[in-house]
Amino acid sequence: MADCLTLLRQYNIQKKEIVERESLIIFDQIAFPRNAKTNYLVYRTGQGGTPKEYYTLESLVFLLKNVGISHPLYVQRAGSQNIPVIKFPDRRGLLAFLNGEVDSSPSIDKSVHLEMGIPAPAPKRPNEDSHFDSVKKPRMENEDMIADKQRLAVKLDAKKEGGAITDQIRSLSETMSVEKIASIKAKRLAKKRATIKTDDDMSVGQDRLFIDDTTRDIMSKERIHRTRATVLQSTGKSFSNILSILQSVKARDEGKMDSSAKQAQPEEPKHSRNPPSHGYNRYDQERFKGKEETGEFKIETTGTFHGMTLKSVTETMSQVKAQQAPLKPATPLERVTADTTKPENKPKRKDHRSRTPIIVVPAAGNSALTMFNIRNFLEEFRYVSIEERKRQGAKKETELIIHRKKPNPSHPGQSLSIPYRVTDTPLRLNAQEWNQVVAVFVAGPAWQ
């Protein structure tokens, strides 16, 4: 008979079902206890004089069931179910052996005594008692059900024409006989049958006559949470004053507000010459009617400096002061300074813009001249291929400044260094910069 580790490996490779029942793990006809020890050694046991420990069958089966999750989560689940944990160093080798990837493992101790299995117990079958218990029992009717059935039978046996039973009817007087009373009762029953019954008239027993015991128990535990009346009620809102609100809105729309409301509004107090002192409010400047109300400060309350520059404001204020001040005869020195400080005598400032010449080169990589070798071509007057420049570690730039030497006409024998701006992105140039373009290198296509 094979040991439990070999059987577990065989069933796992062949994908057979391993049954766990109570305290047993069953392999078809052979069963082993859950805590049966296998011959697979635990990591670092049996070394240096330490006793040997072996994994149990239950821990190996639990590992196969949770092989798809991470090791920390597997350890957490095994600890919650009090199952011995497979250590992480043993996990890979043990799974390789159980999956059939290797035929043996150095952790398997072949010298240990193995626990043999026992015959698997037969599955339990329902006995006679349980068979009789499973048979549907006849329903036991209580007194309420019997009374409901009798009441329903009396109504069903009554004639459709509305006939009434006259056996239990007694005459009220000599003028009203028994037949007269029976006919009145029949008319009342016919009229009642033709009308729609309300919820109060319908009895619960009539609606639940033919319901089994289980449903009756469930219905007896029902509790009404909300009805069509309670759902319309609101606990957080009060609409007691809705009529007054509607009336005020209607009166406002029609322009017929109460005169009492108009009288309740206080009239705006008229500003006197000396208004009461209160806090400053920048939005309450209307109460200042003019300069006379600003005291000795002579503040122009309706003036504004909107849209004016600081220079124009200062010039305006100086003109106002000059008009208010008494005219004095100007000295010759003052006349000279006034004439020299007139704005029309000042030279106009010219707009200084960059006048650096611009050269445009192609941005295509297959062009003979690009940003890689244009400096060598224009400054050193020699051609260097793009591949050689890349091997030298040159990097492509979007713009660069080169200098070309030119003879100085005012100083013979000397030269001038003229800067040129070189770019390969002409789309960034504006209209003013296009006027500065002095040369364009093209790659050869006609559209360029």
Side-chain angles (χ1 to χ4, degrees), residues 143-432:
E143 296 179 357
D144 295 337
M145 293 181 64
I146 295 173
D148 292 339
K149 284 186 176 182
Q150 290 178 355
R151 192 181 302 107
L152 182 62
V154 170
K155 289 190 175 183
L156 292 176
D157 292 339
K159 294 182 180 180
K160 294 183 179 180
E161 291 79 12
I165 302 174
T166 60
D167 296 340
Q168 300 179 357
I169 300 176
R170 293 178 297 177
S171 59
L172 298 177
S173 63
E174 296 179 355
T175 57
M176 187 174 291
S177 61
V178 176
E179 290 78 7
K180 185 67 174 178
I181 296 174
S183 62
I184 295 174
K185 190 174 182 180
K187 291 180 180 179
R188 186 182 67 83
L189 290 175
K191 184 177 181 181
K192 188 176 181 181
R193 192 180 296 111
T195 57
I196 300 175
K197 296 182 179 181
T198 60
D199 296 338
D200 299 335
D201 298 334
M202 299 175 63
S203 60
V204 180
Q206 294 178 4
D207 296 339
R208 304 183 179 181
L209 285 176
F210 305 103
I211 299 176
D212 55 357
D213 298 336
T214 305
T215 308
R216 185 181 294 275
D217 294 339
I218 294 173
M219 294 174 123
S220 63
K221 298 177 182 179
E222 290 180 354
R223 298 293 183 270
I224 298 176
H225 177 59
R226 304 186 77 179
T227 61
R228 61 184 181 182
T230 58
V231 77
L232 298 176
Q233 299 175 358
S234 176
T235 57
K237 298 288 184 179
S238 176
F239 299 98
S240 57
N241 59 343
I242 189 65
L243 295 178
S244 59
I245 295 175
L246 293 176
Q247 290 176 359
S248 61
V249 171
K250 184 178 180 182
R252 183 184 61 186
D253 294 341
E254 295 177 356
K256 297 179 180 179
M257 295 295 292
D258 263 345
S259 59
S260 59
K262 294 182 180 179
Q263 294 175 1
Q265 294 179 356
E267 295 182 358
E268 294 183 359
K270 296 182 179 179
H271 296 290
S272 60
R273 297 289 295 177
N274 297 322
S277 61
H278 49 76
Y280 171 75
N281 185 2
R282 61 180 294 186
Y283 302 106
D284 194 17
Q285 301 299 324
E286 300 84 25
R287 58 192 182 90
F288 298 106
K289 299 299 182 181
K291 294 183 179 181
E292 65 278 0
E293 295 193 6
T294 59
E296 60 183 2
F297 295 102
K298 304 298 181 181
I299 299 175
E300 180 62 38
T301 57
T302 59
T304 178
F305 296 111
H306 178 69
M308 300 176 65
T309 61
L310 179 61
K311 183 178 180 180
S312 60
V313 171
T314 54
E315 290 177 355
T316 304
M317 296 303 296
S318 61
Q319 292 175 4
V320 172
K321 290 182 180 179
Q323 293 176 2
Q324 294 178 356
L327 295 177
K328 295 180 180 181
T331 62
L333 180 61
E334 290 176 353
R335 293 194 189 98
V336 172
T337 55
D339 294 338
T340 56
T341 56
K342 289 183 179 180
E344 56 270 10
N345 295 336
K346 292 184 179 180
K348 294 184 179 179
R349 186 177 180 181
K350 296 182 180 180
D351 188 9
H352 295 285
R353 295 183 181 180
S354 175
R355 303 295 299 173
T356 304
I358 298 176
I359 300 175
V360 181
V361 297
N366 56 356
S367 178
L369 291 174
T370 61
M371 299 296 290
F372 283 102
N373 55 359
I374 191 64
R375 183 184 295 275
N376 304 93
F377 186 76
L378 295 178
E379 286 186 352
E380 303 173 4
F381 303 102
R382 65 188 183 92
Y383 176 77
V384 181
S385 64
I386 299 175
E387 290 76 10
E388 185 178 353
R389 289 289 296 162
K390 289 182 178 179
R391 285 194 298 268
Q392 294 175 1
K395 295 182 179 180
K396 183 182 179 181
E397 300 179 3
T398 56
E399 287 188 4
L400 54 88
I401 301 296
I402 65 172
H403 295 272
R404 288 178 59 85
K405 293 182 179 180
K406 181 181 178 181
N408 191 354
S410 59
H411 298 81
Q414 297 182 2
S415 61
L416 295 175
S417 179
I418 308 299
Y420 289 85
R421 174 184 166 192
V422 183
T423 181
D424 62 347
T425 54
L427 296 179
R428 296 184 180 179
L429 302 178
N430 53 29
Q432 179 64 28

Side-chain angles (χ1 to χ4, degrees), residues 59-105:
S59 61
L60 300 185
V61 173
F62 188 79
L63 175 64
L64 291 177
K65 288 185 176 180
N66 298 273
V67 70
I69 61 177
S70 61
H71 191 73
L73 185 58
Y74 154 75
V75 173
Q76 183 180 0
R77 290 186 181 180
S80 62
Q81 300 182 19
N82 296 325
I83 298 176
V85 179
I86 305 297
K87 294 186 177 180
F88 186 74
D90 292 332
R91 181 185 175 101
R92 180 177 297 180
L94 180 57
L95 289 175
F97 175 73
L98 294 177
N99 293 331
E101 299 175 3
V102 295
D103 296 333
S104 181
S105 175

